[in-house]
Amino acid sequence: MTDSSKTATLTIDGTSYDLPLLSPTAGPNVIDIRKLYAQAGVFTYDPGYTSTASCDSTITYIDGAKGELLHRGYPIDQLAEKSHYLEVCYLLLYDNLPTAAELEAFEATITRHTMIHEQMHNFFRGFRRDAHPMATMVGVVGAMSAFYHDSTDISDPRQREIASHRMIAKMPTIAAMAYKYSIGQPFVYPRNDLDYASNFLHMCFAVPAEQYEVDPILSRAMDRIFILHADHEQNASTSTVRLASSSGANPFACIAAGIACLWGPAHGGANQACLEMLKEIGSVDRIPEFIARAKDKDDPFRLMGFGHRVYKNFDPRAKVMKQSADEVLDLLGIENNPVLQVAKELEKQALDDPYFAEKKLFPNVDFYSGIILEAMGFPTSMFTPIFALSRTVGWISQWKEQLSDPAHKIGRPRQLYLGETARKYVDVEDR
Ligand code: CMC
């Protein structure tokens, strides 16, 4: 990894320090500053990690300038077109695409872990009826560590694997139960004769009173949404999972931390915020007003579903999602959907606007996903839980990779301290 012929030189007050340059298989070189503090007594400063590689990884590669996303080397558009979610899960977890026998065994294992401990139903019932499903998911996933003691020993690779399988298998059940609870319907148990996406749709939309047939076309669209969200290298929630895990925390606690981070509107919460924004815009004639607001530095409003820390070109996931939105609405016979019309026109006007062009702001994965999910029958509050269940495999794969590295250490950033220096305590009566 280190290219010994190349170093970067840092000069501080006339003293020079040679810093090794690490060469990746793709992407920019990385200056190794691990010994910098010991050698030079200085820290580096990068609060949003805009120039910092927090780890090495072999899972996902993003070329933001090209708009390229690869999982284990495979482009996301090929995976979305040719593969299916559980195969992508295998790829992320185990480095390579499975053979037919490996895939069959993996699918059988995941399918058999889909039920949750019956006693865990009580956790759901402890939440207020109007709790956001993300709040319920953070709590219930964290509580899994109190139920699955036989898979919390992170020093045992087999226990790590069982925890991984459990989380991939149970997350749709937990997300669907959070939804059912929020609308006052009975929980629907998983069905092992259905594929992963169909089972999730069934658990969300079936009721005991009548037969529910999963539409295979909607199931395929659901599966594609799962694939498009499966992993995205060191984003905020994945970095949260890695940081939580670096202390040796159990896997369920780490994933609960990831879910909490994902919830924010700058991250996974953007899909809900985006659909709400599109509805607020309401009609194409109001688009210029909202574009003007997004450009106004005195207005905190931003175009939701636009812009990305890494992509300075089209988010390749957004391209697939836009195509999927057209297909799903067409299949459902939803013609001239006003929200889709607003979205398409907003995308066009924003891309033609010099502000967005200069700042390289393009639609991201969240721009069209809400339109599809709503057409499928999901309320906005379920958009981020669906993102969370899809991303679980990414979190778990990154967690597994981190723990398999014998050199891993607790994550402990330093700071640029700007507070008071030491001062003497003053008794309350003298203040
Ligand atoms: N609308 C208007 N202006 C924007 C937007 C936007 N959506 N995004 C960025 N900008 C401007 C921003 O004001 C800044 O301008 P200036 O340089 O004049 O101060 C410039 O573009 C750079 O923005 P930034 O906030 O420094 O960029 P960042 O990399 O820190 O933020 C982001 C990335 C995704 C948080 C941001 O683009 C954003 O808030 N987008 C809307 C929320 C969203 O769609 N999030 C989903 C991200 S993709 C799914 C996921 O990963 O969860």
Side-chain angles (χ1 to χ4, degrees):
M1 184 164 60
T2 309
D3 182 347
S4 52
S5 64
K6 288 192 204 150
T7 53
T9 305
L10 175 72
T11 305
I12 305 169
D13 291 337
T15 307
S16 292
Y17 304 91
D18 284 337
L19 302 167
L21 265 192
L22 308 178
S23 299
T25 49
N29 284 339
V30 173
I31 303 171
D32 180 352
I33 57 162
R34 279 174 291 182
K35 298 202 171 110
L36 183 63
Y37 177 55
Q39 289 172 349
V42 294
F43 297 144
T44 56
Y45 181 65
D46 187 15
Y49 300 103
T50 50
S51 302
T52 298
S54 60
C55 62
D56 56 74
S57 179
T58 61
I59 301 173
T60 292
Y61 173 70
I62 303 173
D63 184 327
K66 274 205 261 173
E68 180 179 67
L69 168 61
L70 310 177
H71 292 319
R72 305 280 188 196
Y74 296 101
I76 189 66
D77 50 332
Q78 289 182 25
L79 293 172
E81 189 197 330
K82 296 176 196 276
S83 186
H84 63 274
Y85 183 67
L86 279 187
E87 186 177 66
V88 173
C89 288
Y90 187 98
L91 174 69
L92 292 169
L93 268 178
Y94 299 111
D95 308 2
N96 288 301
L97 287 170
T99 61
E102 285 166 341
L103 183 59
E104 195 185 335
F106 181 67
E107 286 181 336
T109 303
I110 297 299
T111 306
R112 277 201 297 272
H113 275 105
T114 47
M115 285 207 303
I116 63 165
H117 194 291
E118 194 67 12
Q119 207 186 335
M120 287 185 74
H121 290 208
N122 298 334
F123 273 109
F124 289 87
R125 299 203 167 93
F127 282 89
R128 267 175 63 135
R129 194 57 88 188
D130 57 359
H132 193 289
M134 282 298 275
T136 312
M137 281 182 81
V138 173
V140 172
V141 173
M144 285 171 83
S145 46
F147 279 89
Y148 300 105
H149 298 294
D150 57 344
S151 55
T152 52
D153 178 1
I154 57 164
S155 63
D156 177 349
R158 180 63 190 138
Q159 291 204 27
R160 295 206 295 261
E161 186 168 44
I162 295 171
S164 309
H165 293 163
R166 279 189 169 139
M167 260 177 291
I168 295 166
K170 294 183 200 311
M171 208 58 88
T173 314
I174 292 170
M177 288 173 74
Y179 171 52
K180 285 296 198 190
Y181 184 74
S182 73
I183 56 170
Q185 287 187 4
F187 299 138
V188 175
Y189 284 84
R191 264 184 44 192
N192 288 357
D193 60 321
L194 296 176
D195 63 73
Y196 193 86
S198 303
N199 179 45
F200 178 62
L201 290 172
H202 185 264
M203 289 189 291
C204 287
F205 298 123
V207 286
E210 59 187 61
Q211 192 73 16
Y212 173 79
E213 289 298 329
V214 182
D215 183 329
I217 292 152
L218 292 189
S219 161
R220 175 71 190 128
M222 188 78 258
D223 192 77
R224 198 175 277 175
I225 288 178
F226 291 161
I227 293 175
L228 293 177
H229 289 91
D231 190 48
H232 215 225
E233 53 117 308
Q234 308 314 318
N235 57 85
S237 56
T238 302
S239 299
T240 301
V241 170
R242 279 187 179 257
L243 192 58
S245 146
S246 76
S247 73
N250 76 68
F252 305 106
C254 296
I255 300 303
I259 298 172
C261 177
L262 186 78
W263 195 356
H267 193 8
N271 48 18
Q272 173 170 353
C274 180
L275 194 78
E276 286 164 359
M277 174 195 77
L278 294 171
K279 286 185 172 170
E280 193 192 343
I281 297 173
S283 60
V284 282
D285 54 297
R286 292 192 67 206
I287 290 172
E289 177 197 326
F290 282 79
I291 289 194
R293 282 187 60 196
K295 287 157 51 176
D296 181 356
K297 288 283 151 227
D298 297 325
D299 188 333
F301 174 77
R302 282 185 168 200
L303 278 194
M304 286 293 136
F306 249 81
H308 198 275
R309 170 62 61 78
V310 183
Y311 292 119
K312 301 302 165 198
N313 200 327
F314 263 92
D315 178 339
R317 302 168 300 171
K319 284 188 190 165
V320 182
M321 208 65 97
K322 184 177 182 180
Q323 194 192 333
S324 243
D326 277 329
E327 283 168 15
V328 169
L329 266 55
D330 201 34
L331 286 163
L332 292 173
I334 305 175
E335 284 164 18
N336 303 324
N337 176 277
V339 183
L340 185 62
Q341 281 174 356
V342 169
K344 285 187 173 172
E345 186 55 28
L346 177 61
E347 175 187 336
K348 190 169 166 301
Q349 290 191 25
L351 293 178
D352 285 345
D353 191 297
Y355 172 94
F356 293 89
E358 277 158 24
K359 294 186 190 302
K360 297 190 167 64
L361 300 169
F362 292 87
N364 60 48
V365 68
D366 293 320
F367 195 67
Y368 286 104
S369 62
I371 295 172
I372 307 178
L373 291 172
E374 187 179 63
M376 291 169 98
F378 288 104
T380 48
S381 62
M382 275 304 285
F383 296 179
T384 316
I386 289 170
F387 192 157
L389 93 79
S390 323
R391 182 56 57 84
T392 296
V393 68
W395 292 329
I396 281 289
S397 304
Q398 303 266 351
W399 168 82
K400 178 177 173 243
E401 179 179 71
Q402 181 184 23
L403 289 180
S404 319
D405 178 358
H408 84 266
K409 312 173 105 171
I410 187 165
R412 183 25 173 119
R414 303 305 301 264
Q415 62 176 359
L416 169 65
Y417 178 67
L418 298 174
E420 299 283 352
T421 52
R423 52 180 170 166
K424 202 168 174 338
Y425 180 81
V426 181
D427 291 330
V428 68
E429 58 274 19
D430 299 330
R431 284 175 219 158

